[in-house]
Amino acid sequence: MTSTSVLPADADAGPTTPEQLRELYTLMAAVRHIDTAAIAWQRQGIIPGYAPQLGQEAAQVGSAYAVDRSRDFVFPTYREMGVARTMGLDMVNYMATHKATWHGGMYNPLESRFAPIQAVVAGSVLHAVGWAHGQTLSGESGVALTYFGDGASSQGDVHEAMNFAAVMKAPVVFFVQNNGWAISVPTERQVAGGSVAARAAGYGMASRQVDGNDVESVLHATQWALAHCRAGSGPVLIEAMTYRRGPHSTADDPGRYRTLDEERTDAGEDPLVRFRTRLLADGTADEPFFTEAQRSAEREEETIRAGIEALGPRPGAEMFSYVFQEPTPDLQSQAAAWRKESDHV
């Protein structure tokens, strides 16, 4: 782990209580079950596509758990289902994007503090820095938390965003989930030096590399980063070292670029199994707790699936309200004709 922060490692963190540890496990179990189910939904034709996050539950749940939803704002990619679930979003409304029912999700970003899903690789970091700089200009204390992967870290947008954030001391946490693969290219072949966190020094930015499969370590690292930003010390880069245990997306075949034996060896211990073992060992949880966590996850998955299947198509005329800020005269006439035709259906 590396750090260049002026704040102590445990700043604004405090001990994690047994109740919080159990809640973290319950969230991880729910995320794992929804994620596994979403792949099945795609295969069954319920949703057209999905980006799995198997193996990244600790990184997503731990980081999102640290967010202050009264003032902070999260800027996700297309792979942050675990973050959305931890922040309490309506998962049917979130999954509307994956069903191609609604661009960015049907949830309210302002109320949820979770920005629309960003499909453009590294696109979310630019929005995060802009919002964070706005907090500085308005004198408010919110911090932006933006997610991207090791592959996305090679995009020019990331470097521009980090440079601007560092120069302006914008309160933004760049959270990199280094899952070892940029689709089919391993980290060592596309990240010079092998570490995204090391790049922060070039921008005079605080950084930390953390075990992304240890949910409590991720939680404390994110708490530290948020405190650093709130103190006016500028942005932070966190690199959570984890592993993508499945395909990049439901359209990907990881067998084309790695073997199952390589996957088993490189992935290490499953983050859920690891956390369960720890909670059992220190007496924080018992077998009935884990049984109920699994049952709760299964019930939730069934509810979400039913909600997704019940989603109908959105009215086509909505594109005139949400896509174009100032429609041209031709578009205005098209919208009027569309609404007139819809009224007669």
Side-chain angles (χ1 to χ4, degrees), residues 244-275:
R244 195 194 76 214
R245 293 171 175 263
H248 172 76
S249 72
T250 47
D252 176 39
D253 175 13
R256 295 165 55 202
Y257 50 85
R258 71 187 187 200
T259 68
L260 285 175
D261 286 340
E262 289 173 334
E263 185 175 312
R264 294 188 188 99
T265 300
D266 296 342
E269 188 175 9
D270 184 301
L272 261 75
V273 173
R274 174 178 172 177
F275 196 34

Short mmCIF file of all heavy atoms in Angstrom, two decimals, residues 244-275:
data_model
loop_
_atom_site.label_atom_id
_atom_site.label_comp_id
_atom_site.label_asym_id
_atom_site.label_seq_id
_atom_site.Cartn_x
_atom_site.Cartn_y
_atom_site.Cartn_z
N ARG A 244 -11.08 -9.76 -12.23
CA ARG A 244 -12.33 -10.01 -12.94
C ARG A 244 -12.44 -11.51 -13.20
O ARG A 244 -11.77 -12.06 -14.06
CB ARG A 244 -12.37 -9.24 -14.26
CG ARG A 244 -13.76 -9.16 -14.89
CD ARG A 244 -13.68 -8.71 -16.32
NE ARG A 244 -13.21 -9.78 -17.18
CZ ARG A 244 -12.45 -9.61 -18.26
NH1 ARG A 244 -12.02 -8.42 -18.59
NH2 ARG A 244 -12.08 -10.65 -19.00
N ARG A 245 -13.29 -12.18 -12.43
CA ARG A 245 -13.37 -13.63 -12.49
C ARG A 245 -14.19 -14.15 -13.68
O ARG A 245 -14.16 -15.34 -13.97
CB ARG A 245 -13.98 -14.17 -11.19
CG ARG A 245 -13.07 -13.96 -9.98
CD ARG A 245 -13.75 -14.29 -8.66
NE ARG A 245 -12.80 -14.19 -7.56
CZ ARG A 245 -12.13 -15.22 -7.04
NH1 ARG A 245 -12.34 -16.43 -7.51
NH2 ARG A 245 -11.29 -15.04 -6.05
N GLY A 246 -14.92 -13.30 -14.31
CA GLY A 246 -15.74 -13.72 -15.44
C GLY A 246 -15.38 -12.95 -16.69
O GLY A 246 -14.30 -12.38 -16.82
N PRO A 247 -16.29 -12.89 -17.65
CA PRO A 247 -16.04 -12.17 -18.90
C PRO A 247 -16.16 -10.66 -18.72
O PRO A 247 -16.73 -10.17 -17.74
CB PRO A 247 -17.15 -12.69 -19.82
CG PRO A 247 -18.27 -13.02 -18.89
CD PRO A 247 -17.61 -13.57 -17.66
N HIS A 248 -15.61 -9.93 -19.66
CA HIS A 248 -15.72 -8.47 -19.65
C HIS A 248 -17.18 -8.05 -19.78
O HIS A 248 -17.63 -7.09 -19.16
CB HIS A 248 -14.91 -7.88 -20.81
CG HIS A 248 -15.11 -6.41 -21.01
ND1 HIS A 248 -14.54 -5.47 -20.18
CD2 HIS A 248 -15.83 -5.72 -21.93
CE1 HIS A 248 -14.89 -4.26 -20.59
NE2 HIS A 248 -15.67 -4.38 -21.65
N SER A 249 -17.92 -8.78 -20.59
CA SER A 249 -19.35 -8.55 -20.76
C SER A 249 -19.97 -9.85 -21.20
O SER A 249 -19.26 -10.84 -21.46
CB SER A 249 -19.61 -7.45 -21.81
OG SER A 249 -19.31 -7.93 -23.10
N THR A 250 -21.28 -9.87 -21.32
CA THR A 250 -21.95 -11.10 -21.76
C THR A 250 -21.67 -11.40 -23.23
O THR A 250 -22.05 -12.46 -23.72
CB THR A 250 -23.47 -10.99 -21.53
OG1 THR A 250 -23.94 -9.73 -22.03
CG2 THR A 250 -23.79 -11.11 -20.04
N ALA A 251 -21.01 -10.48 -23.93
CA ALA A 251 -20.62 -10.72 -25.32
C ALA A 251 -19.18 -11.20 -25.44
O ALA A 251 -18.69 -11.45 -26.54
CB ALA A 251 -20.80 -9.44 -26.15
N ASP A 252 -18.51 -11.33 -24.30
CA ASP A 252 -17.09 -11.67 -24.29
C ASP A 252 -16.87 -13.15 -23.97
O ASP A 252 -17.62 -13.75 -23.18
CB ASP A 252 -16.37 -10.81 -23.24
CG ASP A 252 -14.91 -11.16 -23.08
OD1 ASP A 252 -14.26 -11.45 -24.09
OD2 ASP A 252 -14.42 -11.14 -21.92
N ASP A 253 -15.84 -13.73 -24.54
CA ASP A 253 -15.43 -15.10 -24.23
C ASP A 253 -14.01 -15.06 -23.68
O ASP A 253 -13.04 -15.00 -24.45
CB ASP A 253 -15.49 -15.97 -25.49
CG ASP A 253 -14.94 -17.38 -25.24
OD1 ASP A 253 -14.77 -17.76 -24.07
OD2 ASP A 253 -14.70 -18.10 -26.23
N PRO A 254 -13.84 -15.07 -22.34
CA PRO A 254 -12.50 -14.97 -21.77
C PRO A 254 -11.60 -16.15 -22.10
O PRO A 254 -10.38 -16.07 -21.96
CB PRO A 254 -12.77 -14.87 -20.26
CG PRO A 254 -14.11 -15.50 -20.08
CD PRO A 254 -14.88 -15.17 -21.31
N GLY A 255 -12.20 -17.26 -22.56
CA GLY A 255 -11.41 -18.42 -22.95
C GLY A 255 -10.52 -18.16 -24.15
O GLY A 255 -9.60 -18.94 -24.43
N ARG A 256 -10.76 -17.06 -24.84
CA ARG A 256 -9.94 -16.71 -26.01
C ARG A 256 -8.59 -16.12 -25.59
O ARG A 256 -7.66 -16.08 -26.39
CB ARG A 256 -10.67 -15.71 -26.89
CG ARG A 256 -11.94 -16.26 -27.55
CD ARG A 256 -12.80 -15.14 -28.11
NE ARG A 256 -12.04 -14.29 -29.04
CZ ARG A 256 -12.38 -13.04 -29.33
NH1 ARG A 256 -13.45 -12.50 -28.77
NH2 ARG A 256 -11.66 -12.35 -30.17
N TYR A 257 -8.48 -15.62 -24.36
CA TYR A 257 -7.23 -14.97 -23.96
C TYR A 257 -6.68 -15.44 -22.61
O TYR A 257 -5.63 -14.97 -22.19
CB TYR A 257 -7.39 -13.44 -23.96
CG TYR A 257 -8.61 -12.92 -23.22
CD1 TYR A 257 -8.60 -12.71 -21.84
CD2 TYR A 257 -9.78 -12.63 -23.92
CE1 TYR A 257 -9.71 -12.21 -21.18
CE2 TYR A 257 -10.91 -12.14 -23.27
CZ TYR A 257 -10.86 -11.93 -21.90
OH TYR A 257 -11.98 -11.46 -21.24
N ARG A 258 -7.37 -16.34 -21.92
CA ARG A 258 -6.82 -16.92 -20.70
C ARG A 258 -7.49 -18.27 -20.45
O ARG A 258 -8.64 -18.49 -20.86
CB ARG A 258 -7.01 -15.99 -19.49
CG ARG A 258 -8.43 -15.87 -19.00
CD ARG A 258 -8.57 -14.82 -17.91
NE ARG A 258 -9.92 -14.84 -17.34
CZ ARG A 258 -10.47 -13.83 -16.67
NH1 ARG A 258 -9.78 -12.71 -16.49
NH2 ARG A 258 -11.69 -13.93 -16.17
N THR A 259 -6.78 -19.15 -19.76
CA THR A 259 -7.32 -20.47 -19.46
C THR A 259 -8.02 -20.46 -18.12
O THR A 259 -7.82 -19.57 -17.29
CB THR A 259 -6.20 -21.52 -19.44
OG1 THR A 259 -5.34 -21.26 -18.31
CG2 THR A 259 -5.39 -21.48 -20.73
N LEU A 260 -8.83 -21.47 -17.88
CA LEU A 260 -9.50 -21.60 -16.58
C LEU A 260 -8.49 -21.79 -15.47
O LEU A 260 -8.67 -21.28 -14.35
CB LEU A 260 -10.49 -22.77 -16.62
CG LEU A 260 -11.78 -22.53 -17.38
CD1 LEU A 260 -12.61 -23.80 -17.43
CD2 LEU A 260 -12.59 -21.39 -16.75
N ASP A 261 -7.41 -22.51 -15.75
CA ASP A 261 -6.38 -22.71 -14.73
C ASP A 261 -5.71 -21.38 -14.38
O ASP A 261 -5.46 -21.09 -13.19
CB ASP A 261 -5.32 -23.69 -15.23
CG ASP A 261 -5.82 -25.13 -15.24
OD1 ASP A 261 -6.80 -25.41 -14.51
OD2 ASP A 261 -5.24 -25.95 -15.96
N GLU A 262 -5.45 -20.55 -15.38
CA GLU A 262 -4.87 -19.22 -15.12
C GLU A 262 -5.84 -18.36 -14.31
O GLU A 262 -5.43 -17.64 -13.40
CB GLU A 262 -4.55 -18.54 -16.45
CG GLU A 262 -3.37 -19.15 -17.19
CD GLU A 262 -3.19 -18.55 -18.57
OE1 GLU A 262 -4.20 -18.06 -19.15
OE2 GLU A 262 -2.06 -18.58 -19.08
N GLU A 263 -7.10 -18.46 -14.65
CA GLU A 263 -8.11 -17.69 -13.93
C GLU A 263 -8.16 -18.09 -12.46
O GLU A 263 -8.20 -17.24 -11.57
CB GLU A 263 -9.47 -17.88 -14.59
CG GLU A 263 -10.58 -17.04 -14.00
CD GLU A 263 -11.88 -17.19 -14.77
OE1 GLU A 263 -11.84 -17.10 -16.01
OE2 GLU A 263 -12.93 -17.39 -14.13
N ARG A 264 -8.16 -19.39 -12.20
CA ARG A 264 -8.22 -19.87 -10.81
C ARG A 264 -6.97 -19.45 -10.03
O ARG A 264 -7.05 -19.05 -8.87
CB ARG A 264 -8.37 -21.38 -10.79
CG ARG A 264 -9.68 -21.92 -11.36
CD ARG A 264 -9.81 -23.41 -11.13
NE ARG A 264 -10.96 -23.97 -11.83
CZ ARG A 264 -10.89 -24.61 -13.00
NH1 ARG A 264 -9.71 -24.79 -13.58
NH2 ARG A 264 -11.98 -25.09 -13.57
N THR A 265 -5.83 -19.54 -10.67
CA THR A 265 -4.57 -19.22 -9.99
C THR A 265 -4.44 -17.73 -9.72
O THR A 265 -4.08 -17.30 -8.62
CB THR A 265 -3.37 -19.68 -10.85
OG1 THR A 265 -3.45 -21.09 -11.05
CG2 THR A 265 -2.05 -19.34 -10.16
N ASP A 266 -4.75 -16.92 -10.72
CA ASP A 266 -4.56 -15.47 -10.60
C ASP A 266 -5.63 -14.80 -9.75
O ASP A 266 -5.38 -13.74 -9.16
CB ASP A 266 -4.54 -14.83 -11.99
CG ASP A 266 -3.36 -15.29 -12.83
OD1 ASP A 266 -2.39 -15.82 -12.24
OD2 ASP A 266 -3.42 -15.14 -14.06
N ALA A 267 -6.82 -15.37 -9.70
CA ALA A 267 -7.93 -14.71 -8.99
C ALA A 267 -7.73 -14.70 -7.49
O ALA A 267 -8.21 -13.79 -6.80
CB ALA A 267 -9.24 -15.40 -9.34
N GLY A 268 -7.03 -15.69 -6.95
CA GLY A 268 -6.85 -15.73 -5.50
C GLY A 268 -8.12 -16.16 -4.79
O GLY A 268 -9.03 -16.73 -5.39
N GLU A 269 -8.20 -15.84 -3.51
CA GLU A 269 -9.34 -16.26 -2.71
C GLU A 269 -10.57 -15.41 -3.03
O GLU A 269 -10.47 -14.18 -3.16
CB GLU A 269 -9.02 -16.18 -1.22
CG GLU A 269 -10.09 -16.79 -0.32
CD GLU A 269 -9.70 -16.81 1.15
OE1 GLU A 269 -8.67 -16.19 1.49
OE2 GLU A 269 -10.43 -17.42 1.95
N ASP A 270 -11.71 -16.05 -3.13
CA ASP A 270 -12.97 -15.36 -3.38
C ASP A 270 -13.22 -14.35 -2.25
O ASP A 270 -13.15 -14.69 -1.07
CB ASP A 270 -14.10 -16.40 -3.42
CG ASP A 270 -15.43 -15.80 -3.78
OD1 ASP A 270 -15.89 -14.90 -3.04
OD2 ASP A 270 -16.04 -16.23 -4.77
N PRO A 271 -13.53 -13.08 -2.59
CA PRO A 271 -13.73 -12.07 -1.55
C PRO A 271 -14.87 -12.39 -0.58
O PRO A 271 -14.79 -12.05 0.60
CB PRO A 271 -14.00 -10.78 -2.33
CG PRO A 271 -14.36 -11.22 -3.71
CD PRO A 271 -13.62 -12.50 -3.93
N LEU A 272 -15.93 -13.05 -1.06
CA LEU A 272 -17.02 -13.40 -0.15
C LEU A 272 -16.61 -14.52 0.79
O LEU A 272 -16.90 -14.47 1.99
CB LEU A 272 -18.28 -13.82 -0.94
CG LEU A 272 -19.34 -12.73 -1.09
CD1 LEU A 272 -18.88 -11.71 -2.12
CD2 LEU A 272 -20.68 -13.32 -1.49
N VAL A 273 -15.94 -15.54 0.25
CA VAL A 273 -15.47 -16.64 1.09
C VAL A 273 -14.48 -16.13 2.13
O VAL A 273 -14.53 -16.51 3.30
CB VAL A 273 -14.81 -17.73 0.21
CG1 VAL A 273 -14.17 -18.81 1.08
CG2 VAL A 273 -15.83 -18.34 -0.74
N ARG A 274 -13.61 -15.26 1.69
CA ARG A 274 -12.60 -14.69 2.59
C ARG A 274 -13.26 -13.91 3.74
O ARG A 274 -12.87 -14.07 4.90
CB ARG A 274 -11.71 -13.76 1.77
CG ARG A 274 -10.68 -12.97 2.54
CD ARG A 274 -9.85 -12.16 1.56
NE ARG A 274 -8.96 -11.24 2.22
CZ ARG A 274 -8.08 -10.47 1.57
NH1 ARG A 274 -8.00 -10.54 0.26
NH2 ARG A 274 -7.30 -9.64 2.23
N PHE A 275 -14.24 -13.09 3.43
CA PHE A 275 -14.90 -12.29 4.45
C PHE A 275 -15.74 -13.16 5.38
O PHE A 275 -15.77 -12.96 6.59
CB PHE A 275 -15.77 -11.23 3.78
CG PHE A 275 -16.20 -10.11 4.69
CD1 PHE A 275 -15.37 -9.65 5.69
CD2 PHE A 275 -17.44 -9.50 4.52
CE1 PHE A 275 -15.77 -8.59 6.53
CE2 PHE A 275 -17.84 -8.46 5.34
CZ PHE A 275 -17.00 -8.01 6.35
#
